[in-house]
């Protein structure tokens, strides 16, 4: 079993960091958890609920830490990296949990001093809730945690981080930075944008048809609203920083949509049937891979959405 880190510093104390803190405690994977977040309110909650110590600045929080986790929105990573860089312990491991990897590597990498080990990461786990009260110890259980090590990554530091994340319940995989951003554009980012759009359309319709859209939302729409309730800051940053991959997938999506639109217009039932048969097989594959439940109604209430 991987040895626990001594001091772990969590920068940003929202859903992901608070879940990590609960999971680290449950697994006994650190001797001290130190935290920092922007607002005094969040810092006070974290002090009460899951941090051994909370600091007013990120610079203070990382001092003496063996592992530093950047768990802030992607757009906030560069300023935090610049602030903490002079205060990092030599040989500390620095990772992040940002939903986009290329932009984080660019924003964080140049600030970090030689001797520290920067290993970008991304847990494919989340819910539509945010903030320091939303975390829970089992969030990462049986979920993927992707690491995107850079060319010169120290293998011992990587193995240790990997073991630590596995102790939190995650299945760890490694991927190239660019590949990560393209894959996530397909499985997470573009679906979120579509959910936001669909809920926006319904909101517009609601004004036309009073409350009916909400009242009869039991079918697919309710799942869209759950995804579209995700944190606006986080998702703004995702789209601003994974622009190329999302625009690529969105272009492909639009082409398929036009194709289906045409099939509907032309009454081409065979084309629709074949298309839906293929997509149904993808759903079966996800269940077989253990990434969702086969319970009817999407196992509502039991399963997190991923970011
Ligand atoms: P969250 O619940 O909204 O929490 C964000 C935290 O970052 C808050 O504690 C916030 O502090 C803090 N913060 C923001 N700007 C800061 C700054 N300049 N300095 C210090 N602290 C700052 O977000 P989250 O869901 O945990 O997401 C965190 C990261 O994980 C994001 O990069 C996101 O892309 C990634 N991620 C999210 C999910 C998901 O489903 N939610 C999944 C995987 C990865 P205050 O509370 O004081 O504002």
């Amino acid at each position: 079993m991987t040895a626990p880190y001594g001091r772990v510093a969590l920068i940003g104390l929202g859903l992901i960091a608070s879940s990590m803190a609960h999971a680290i405690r449950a697994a006994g994977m650190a001797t001290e958890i130190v935290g920092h977040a922007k607002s005094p309110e969040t810092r006070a909650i974290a002090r009460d609920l899951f941090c051994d110590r909370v600091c007013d600045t990120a610079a203070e929080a990382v001092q003496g830490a063996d592992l530093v986790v950047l768990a802030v929105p992607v757009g906030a990573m560069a300023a935090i990296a610049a602030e903490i860089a002079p205060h990092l312990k030599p040989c500390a491991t620095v990772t992040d949990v940002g939903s986009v990897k290329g932009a984080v590597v660019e924003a964080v990498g140049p600030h970090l001093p030689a001797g520290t080990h920067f290993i970008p990461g991304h847990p494919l786990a989340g819910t539509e809730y945010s903030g320091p009260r939303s975390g829970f110890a089992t969030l990462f259980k049986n979920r993927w945690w992707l690491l995107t090590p850079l060319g010169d990554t120290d293998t011992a530091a990587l193995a240790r981080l990997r073991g630590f994340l596995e102790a939190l319940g995650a299945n760890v995989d490694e991927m190239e930075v660019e590949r990560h951003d393209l894959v996530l554009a397909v499985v997470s980012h573009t679906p979120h944008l579509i959910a936001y759009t669909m809920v926006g359309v319904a909101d517009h319709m609601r004004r036309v048809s009073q409350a009916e859209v909400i009242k009869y939302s039991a079918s697919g729409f309710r799942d869209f609203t759950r995804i579209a309730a995700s944190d606006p800051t986080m998702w703004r940053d995702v789209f601003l920083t994974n622009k190329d991959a999302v625009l690529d997938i969105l272009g492909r999506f639009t082409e398929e949509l036009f194709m289906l639109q045409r099939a509907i217009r032309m009454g081409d039932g065979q084309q629709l049937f074949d298309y839906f048969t293929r997509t149904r097989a993808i759903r079966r594959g996800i269940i077989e891979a253990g990434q969702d439940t086969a319970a009817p109604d999407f196992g509502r209430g039991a399963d997190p959405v991923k970011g």
Side-chain angles (χ1 to χ4, degrees):
M1 196 187 117
T2 307
Y5 286 100
R7 182 179 295 169
V8 173
L10 302 173
I11 308 302
L13 297 169
L15 170 71
I16 300 296
S18 59
S19 296
M20 284 186 76
H22 292 301
I24 291 168
R25 273 182 197 289
M29 288 307 287
T31 49
E32 189 187 22
I33 302 173
V34 184
H36 164 75
K38 194 168 53 173
S39 70
E41 294 78 17
T42 296
R43 296 201 291 268
I45 295 166
R47 196 176 282 120
D48 282 351
L49 294 185
F50 54 81
C51 279
D52 296 308
R53 198 153 55 80
V54 173
C55 302
D56 289 348
T57 66
E60 227 184 304
V62 301
Q63 281 170 26
D66 303 289
L67 174 68
V68 174
V69 181
L70 307 180
V72 296
V74 173
M77 298 271 182
I80 297 278
E83 181 189 340
I84 63 171
H87 306 277
L88 290 167
K89 184 175 172 176
C91 292
T93 291
V94 178
T95 189
D96 75 292
V97 297
S99 305
V100 177
K101 296 277 55 85
V104 170
V105 169
E106 269 177 38
V108 174
H111 294 289
L112 301 186
T116 51
H117 307 296
F118 176 39
I119 308 172
H122 178 200
L124 304 193
T127 73
E128 66 274 37
Y129 298 106
S130 53
R133 290 188 195 280
S134 58
F136 54 99
T138 54
L139 177 65
F140 310 113
K141 199 165 183 298
N142 203 28
R143 298 282 143 188
W144 288 109
W145 197 307
L146 300 178
L147 293 176
T148 59
L150 309 167
D152 55 354
T153 300
D154 181 81
T155 49
L158 177 60
R160 191 169 183 197
L161 179 62
R162 205 185 162 108
F164 170 84
L165 298 173
E166 283 167 355
L168 307 193
N171 303 320
V172 180
D173 234 349
E174 289 170 32
M175 207 180 248
E176 280 177 8
V177 169
E178 221 173 280
R179 181 99 193 129
H180 168 279
D181 287 354
L182 183 63
V183 169
L184 265 291
V186 177
V187 300
S188 171
H189 304 167
T190 310
H192 270 79
L193 194 72
I194 293 162
Y196 280 122
T197 314
M198 196 56 228
V199 174
V201 169
D203 181 50
H204 178 72
M205 285 293 295
R206 186 164 57 93
R207 288 190 202 117
V208 180
S209 63
Q210 265 81 36
E212 282 157 317
V213 170
I214 299 298
K215 187 173 168 188
Y216 302 118
S217 67
S219 39
F221 180 66
R222 196 164 59 181
D223 293 300
F224 277 120
T225 63
R226 189 164 66 103
I227 294 172
S230 302
D231 188 72
T233 306
M234 169 186 156
W235 284 97
R236 176 202 62 195
D237 288 2
V238 165
F239 293 117
L240 292 180
T241 56
N242 200 19
K243 190 173 169 174
D244 292 345
V246 170
L247 289 177
D248 177 13
I249 301 305
L250 214 48
R252 293 164 190 261
F253 174 82
T254 314
E255 286 169 19
E256 302 270 313
L257 193 63
F258 277 139
M259 185 265 287
L260 290 176
Q261 191 176 335
R262 186 167 190 281
I264 294 169
R265 191 185 308 287
M266 305 304 282
D268 190 342
Q270 191 59 49
Q271 188 171 14
L272 294 173
F273 185 85
D274 291 347
Y275 197 93
F276 301 156
T277 303
R278 269 197 292 134
T279 54
R280 189 178 219 190
I282 291 176
R283 170 74 191 161
R284 259 190 236 115
I286 290 172
I287 293 165
E288 277 159 24
Q291 292 299 300
D292 204 353
T293 162
D297 205 17
F298 297 95
R300 184 166 283 105
D303 196 62
V305 289
K306 57 190 175 185

